[in-house]
Every structure is written in C-alpha cells, then in structure tokens.
Amino acid sequence: MNRNEKFIEEINQGYASKGASILLGGAILDKTPLADAHVKIPLKTLNRHGLIAGATGTGKTKTIQVLSEQLSSFGIPVLMMDIKGDFSGIAKEGEEKSFITERHQKINIPYQTASFPVELLSLSEQSGVRLRATISEFGPVLFSRILDLNDTQTGVVAIIFKYCDDNKMPLLDLKDFKKVINYINEEGKEEITESYGKISTSTTGIILRKIIELEQQGGELFFGEMSFDINDLMRIDENGKGYVNILRLTDIQDKPKLFSTFMLSLLAEVYQQMPEKGDAEQPELVIFIDEAHLIFKEASKTLLEQIETIVKLIRSKGIGIYFITQNPMDVPSGILAQLGLKIQHALRAFTAKDRQEIKQTADNYPTSEFYNTSEVLTSLGIGEALVTALNEKGIPTPLAATMLRAPMSRMDVLTESEIQEINNKSKLVKKYSENIDRESAYEMLNKKIADIEAENNKKEAEQQESKQARTTQRQGPSTTEVVGKSVLKVLTSTTFIRGAFGILSKILKK
Ligand SMILES: Nc1ncnc2c1ncn2[C@@H]1O[C@H](COP(=O)(O)OP(=O)(O)O)[C@@H](O)[C@H]1O
Ligand SMILES: [Mg+2]
C-alpha cells in the first residue's frame, strides 16, 4: 500500500459512520484534494460541541452555512448568532458558478442548489422577530451580572427582587426597576427598612447609574414583554426542514457585556426548557456563536465558569454549541477542552506571537503521520480546514485537511426587500411584535405613591377637622400601616410570573 492509499484508508475508516452524518468535503493530502476520502461528521456526536476557527476571509461563515444547510435538511433546527450580518443568504437558492463546479469535481460531491426556511431574529429595533425577556425572568443573579455589580450591590438587587416578589409586583422592564429604586429611596424607605433592613442610598445610586448605562447600550429594547418562548426556535417547516433562526446582532459588537450576559441567559433558558435527551441519534438544536471572542472578552472569572458549566450540562439536552472565532486561543481552555469537533481554517503568521500560537494550536491536535500540522495550518486555502471530530464511539477521528463543499444556498446576503418578504410572511414576527406594557412595578408603585398621598391628605384634613372640633390631637396610623393597606389594595389584581431565567441562579449556585 502506498502513502496515498494508506491515507485514504485511514480517512475512510476514521470517518465511517453507521448513522446519518454531515458531509463536509474531501480530504487533502500533499495539497491535493482527493475524490475518494470524504470527511463526515456523525449527527450523533453533534451535541459534543465544537470550534470553527481561522483568520478573516478563510471560510468560517461558509462552513457554518454548509453545516446549517445539512442540519436543516435532517430536520434539525439551527440558531445562528450572526454578528456580522452575513448569513441571511441561506434563505435563497445558490447559483452554480464555475469555481463551485470545479471545487465539487475535485472532491467528487455532486453540486445542487437549495434554499432553507429562515426566521430573522433581533434584539434591537431591526426588523424581525423581537427577542425579549423580562427582568423578573432574568432573576437577580444575571441581572446583577449584566450590570457588573459587586457583592454588596448584588445583595441590594436581591432585596429589590424579593420585595417585588413578596408584593407580587412584576419587574418587566428597566423603567420598573428604576421606579422601585426611587421608591425605596423615598416614599418606601421606612417600609423597606422595617422588613428588609437598611439600604444605603449610595449603593442604590450606583445601581441606578449602571442601569442608565445599560439603557444607553440598548438594554431597554431587550427588557420587556413579550418574552421569547424557546420552543419557537425548534420549528420544522412543512417540508420537514429545520428552521434556521438567524439572530442578527450587528449592533452588539461594541457591547460585549450585553452580549455575554445575553448568551448565558439564552443558554440557561434553553437548558431549562429542554427535556433530558440522553444518548440520541441526532441533536435537537445546534447553536452557532459567530465572533465568539466577544463573549469571552471582558468576561469575569465567574462568568467564564458559568458558561463552562452550562456548556457542559446542555449536552444532555441534545443541544450542540459551536464557537466561531478567529483565533482558537480566544476560547478559554476549560471550554476548549469540551469541544468534540474542531474545524480549523488557515491561520496567518505575521508576528512572533502568531507563530507561537500556531505552534500551540498545532500541539492541541492529534498527531498525524501525514501532516506537519503547523505547516498545514498556515498553508490552507480559502474554504479549506483542518478537521478532527468524534466518531460515533466518541473517539477522535484522524486529522484531515479538508476541502469543504460549497453552500447550496446563496453565498451573499439577502436584499432589504427579500428580508422584508421573509418578515412579512413570518408568524413569529407577528406574535412578538406587540409592545405589551401591562401593569407592572412602575404603574403599581405610582398608584401606591398616589394612594399614600391621598391617604395623607385625607388624614391631614381629618386632623384639621377634629382639631377644630375638639382641640384634642389624635394620632394617625403610621406610614407603614397605610402603605401596608394600599399594597393589599393595589396588588390583588396582578399575577407575578417568575420566568425560566431564574433557573440560572439554581444551576450556578451549585
Ligand atoms: N466552502 C466554500 N466554498 C466556496 N467558496 C468558499 C467556501 N468558503 C469560503 N469561500 C469563499 O471565501 C469567501 C470568504 O469566506 P467567509 O466564510 O466569509 O470567511 P470568514 O467567515 O472566515 O471571514 C467567501 O465569500 C467565498 O467566496
Ligand atoms: Mg465570517
């Protein structure tokens, strides 16, 4: 057996799969793509997470497109965090150009065009399905985290949540939260001190400032109703294709804190909503996080530990998470160690640091008698990548420099009118477009304050009267009693909903 034959046998055995699999492309040996050595990823191991890395323009986004298309075809829904806004083309059929035909001939994969069902999601005012959550659902732990509070400040936030909980006051949006802070600083000061202890105004002052900062980052668009139901990510269309849900995050690039907290909350929500799956034949949902370095940038040690924990736990729910980033060193080692699939596009060696990192990256791959890994890492062409996956038994597959197949759908973005067309047809856009502002802490406290004032006025008037009548002064009820009564009056009409985001505090306290 010559070297070529030996390599082909290694790839074909290493990537053999009994169950269904995703066909990525053809293996490359000595810079030549081969027609009879296909690189395939078993669906069964997709909940083991992965990394797609490589310098800008090397083909990462197209690789996600290739993966998403086949997932969708298998009826597996996808959630793509699209930071650059260059993923929407998957909704339309591609066009067979000569460079695609050539590529597919080399790797011996027939080319066909196809389009896939898409929902466009948005965290901001961009058109699409509005993704929102209430502050109550976020819970005190995550909400404090997003505000970057210290322990003392977090303690005060916990009291505020408790107070609202005890009084059945929903905290829906930032307006609610600010109102409660104002209330406990002023009218409600005695009431709070009596039941929950003294709260320093300098601490609430800091919290208030941080909330205003968050508002400036666009937080007020995210917090509120109606909250997004995770089950809406799991849809299959009438042809049995999984929906590709594209969350357009073009405006969040400069807000890493918002992004990382949002990601963590979303993962926690998905974790909580999904039933335990055990060892399934295919994943329930695959999540791609583009520009993943943004989550890890500026993230505290605790936040990183929490992401690590949730990534570990979510596997058993049949959810696969794929981090996409330029440099694999962007991903913390604790998370890197949990990733089963690695698709490494070309890295560029400009500086001594680059060369050092390439060497380190190469050392993290299984050894191969066919490749000098660090040399391959710098010489891969566009749309080529070094791949290692897990086979169905969970054993790492041999290293395969791979020429990837081309996407079946459009490699360019949708036009504005195509985007509109998708949104106009979407049931979800309608479902989530309503701006509900139901009675919550803001309105309830306003009413309560008005009640206190009315009560005080009445009392004053009565006192005046009785003073005049009898000239003996009578003691009125204490403010706390008055507040207590009006609380009862106001609060019997609303229901307080503690949402799923609260689960985080439970998981993460462990
Ligand atoms: N699998 C592929 N098949 C065909 N062309 C590709 C493939 N991957 C990348 N390309 C080409 O390279 C360009 C850049 O790819 P892209 O995925 O946007 O890079 P990245 O996300 O790494 O910046 C694409 O516009 C396309 O022309
Ligand atoms: Mg990209």
Side-chain angles (χ1 to χ4, degrees), residues 169-428:
M169 278 196 275
L171 284 168
L172 302 183
D173 48 24
L174 295 175
K175 189 175 71 171
D176 286 329
F177 206 86
K178 287 195 294 187
K179 188 73 199 176
V180 183
I181 292 186
N182 284 333
Y183 178 75
I184 64 177
N185 277 344
E186 288 163 28
E187 296 89 348
K189 208 178 182 86
E190 279 179 51
E191 179 198 354
I192 300 281
T193 308
E194 204 160 288
S195 317
Y196 304 91
K198 199 166 157 36
I199 292 175
S200 115
T201 44
S202 68
T203 307
T204 51
I206 295 169
I207 299 173
L208 207 51
R209 263 211 314 279
K210 299 265 188 165
I211 289 178
I212 291 163
E213 249 174 62
L214 181 63
E215 278 180 324
Q216 284 162 352
Q217 288 205 358
E220 89 268 30
L221 288 170
F222 173 62
F223 287 111
E225 284 188 307
M226 66 182 269
S227 326
F228 189 78
D229 178 355
I230 290 301
N231 288 309
D232 282 333
L233 293 177
M234 310 292 173
R235 290 162 64 228
I236 313 276
D237 82 347
E238 63 282 2
N239 304 314
K241 283 183 179 176
Y243 263 88
V244 178
N245 302 285
I246 303 175
L247 178 54
R248 291 182 299 159
L249 292 163
T250 38
D251 40 6
I252 211 167
Q253 292 195 53
D254 48 345
K255 298 153 193 164
K257 205 177 294 163
L258 197 62
F259 184 52
S260 54
T261 314
F262 165 74
M263 271 314 306
L264 183 61
S265 67
L266 187 88
L267 295 181
E269 173 83 356
V270 171
Y271 174 75
Q272 206 244 356
Q273 294 284 322
M274 300 295 292
E276 202 64 38
K277 280 296 288 184
D279 239 0
E281 284 310 307
Q282 64 174 57
E284 294 293 302
L285 172 75
V286 172
I287 304 178
F288 293 102
I289 306 172
D290 205 356
E291 307 287 330
H293 65 275
L294 288 177
I295 319 184
F296 305 121
K297 194 167 112 181
E298 285 182 37
S300 64
K301 192 165 166 283
T302 353
L303 180 64
L304 289 179
E305 280 168 10
Q306 287 166 344
I307 296 177
E308 199 178 314
T309 309
I310 208 116
V311 167
K312 204 174 284 170
L313 292 173
I314 210 166
R315 248 180 65 187
S316 66
K317 305 282 178 123
I319 315 286
I321 303 176
Y322 290 79
F323 298 98
I324 296 96
T325 187
Q326 292 185 19
N327 193 327
M329 301 290 152
D330 295 336
V331 182
S333 55
I335 291 175
L336 212 51
Q338 295 184 49
L339 308 179
L341 173 65
K342 285 180 191 145
I343 303 181
Q344 176 68 59
H345 288 269
L347 288 169
R348 305 270 179 255
F350 296 122
T351 64
K353 185 166 169 272
D354 291 343
R355 278 188 290 276
Q356 165 115 40
E357 287 183 346
I358 288 166
K359 197 183 166 305
Q360 251 171 292
T361 304
D363 289 344
N364 277 329
Y365 279 91
T367 51
S368 163
E369 62 175 285
F370 298 101
Y371 299 118
N372 171 346
T373 307
S374 29
E375 204 265 322
V376 171
L377 284 177
T378 48
S379 61
L380 287 162
I382 289 170
E384 296 176 3
L386 198 57
V387 176
T388 170
L390 294 174
N391 70 14
E392 285 162 319
K393 295 194 184 90
I395 300 164
T397 58
L399 213 49
T402 305
M403 176 175 271
L404 282 115
R405 65 192 288 181
M408 296 178 257
S409 51
R410 188 195 289 175
M411 286 215 250
D412 203 354
V413 294
L414 298 184
T415 64
E416 206 40 57
S417 69
E418 286 169 331
I419 287 177
Q420 251 170 36
E421 196 188 319
I422 290 179
N423 287 335
N424 289 342
K425 268 197 256 163
S426 157
K427 283 195 196 95
L428 292 189

Side-chain angles (χ1 to χ4, degrees), residues 21-258:
S21 60
I22 286 181
L23 176 53
L24 266 192
I28 303 171
L29 182 65
D30 302 329
K31 303 212 160 71
T32 312
L34 304 173
D36 38 12
H38 285 165
V39 176
K40 297 177 289 183
I41 319 291
L43 292 186
K44 200 178 157 70
T45 64
L46 284 177
N47 67 333
R48 304 286 294 268
H49 310 318
L51 172 78
I52 298 157
T56 307
T58 54
K60 300 183 296 295
T61 305
K62 297 300 166 280
T63 297
I64 310 169
Q65 199 169 341
V66 164
L67 289 167
S68 302
E69 291 174 340
Q70 294 180 64
L71 288 167
S72 171
S73 303
F74 280 116
I76 301 165
V78 165
L79 172 61
M80 164 69 170
M81 306 285 162
D82 186 15
I83 305 252
K84 286 208 180 133
D86 57 0
F87 200 69
S88 56
I90 194 165
K92 294 283 170 193
E93 251 182 67
E95 222 184 294
E96 178 157 4
K97 302 211 172 118
S98 58
F99 75 92
I100 293 181
T101 316
E102 276 166 37
R103 179 178 280 260
H104 275 249
Q105 269 164 3
K106 282 182 196 155
I107 54 180
N108 189 27
I109 296 174
Y111 184 75
Q112 64 191 64
T113 59
S115 64
F116 299 86
V118 160
E119 283 287 359
L120 298 167
L121 278 51
S122 162
L123 275 184
S124 62
E125 261 165 345
Q126 258 178 342
S127 65
V129 182
R130 283 290 300 277
L131 209 65
R132 270 180 292 204
T134 66
I135 294 185
S136 291
E137 286 170 323
F138 244 63
V141 178
L142 261 196
F143 190 64
S144 299
R145 181 128 306 129
I146 208 171
L147 296 176
D148 204 15
L149 302 181
N150 68 22
D151 286 352
T152 315
Q153 294 149 1
T154 302
V156 170
V157 168
I159 291 176
I160 294 174
F161 269 78
K162 177 85 170 63
Y163 170 74
C164 292
D165 224 352
D166 290 347
N167 290 294
K168 304 209 166 16
M169 278 196 275
L171 284 168
L172 302 183
D173 48 24
L174 295 175
K175 189 175 71 171
D176 286 329
F177 206 86
K178 287 195 294 187
K179 188 73 199 176
V180 183
I181 292 186
N182 284 333
Y183 178 75
I184 64 177
N185 277 344
E186 288 163 28
E187 296 89 348
K189 208 178 182 86
E190 279 179 51
E191 179 198 354
I192 300 281
T193 308
E194 204 160 288
S195 317
Y196 304 91
K198 199 166 157 36
I199 292 175
S200 115
T201 44
S202 68
T203 307
T204 51
I206 295 169
I207 299 173
L208 207 51
R209 263 211 314 279
K210 299 265 188 165
I211 289 178
I212 291 163
E213 249 174 62
L214 181 63
E215 278 180 324
Q216 284 162 352
Q217 288 205 358
E220 89 268 30
L221 288 170
F222 173 62
F223 287 111
E225 284 188 307
M226 66 182 269
S227 326
F228 189 78
D229 178 355
I230 290 301
N231 288 309
D232 282 333
L233 293 177
M234 310 292 173
R235 290 162 64 228
I236 313 276
D237 82 347
E238 63 282 2
N239 304 314
K241 283 183 179 176
Y243 263 88
V244 178
N245 302 285
I246 303 175
L247 178 54
R248 291 182 299 159
L249 292 163
T250 38
D251 40 6
I252 211 167
Q253 292 195 53
D254 48 345
K255 298 153 193 164
K257 205 177 294 163
L258 197 62

Side-chain angles (χ1 to χ4, degrees), residues 495-510:
T495 24
F496 183 69
I497 302 159
R498 159 79 60 207
F501 284 114
I503 184 70
L504 251 198
S505 42
K506 270 181 252 158
I507 304 171
L508 302 174
K509 261 184 216 148
K510 282 183 199 161

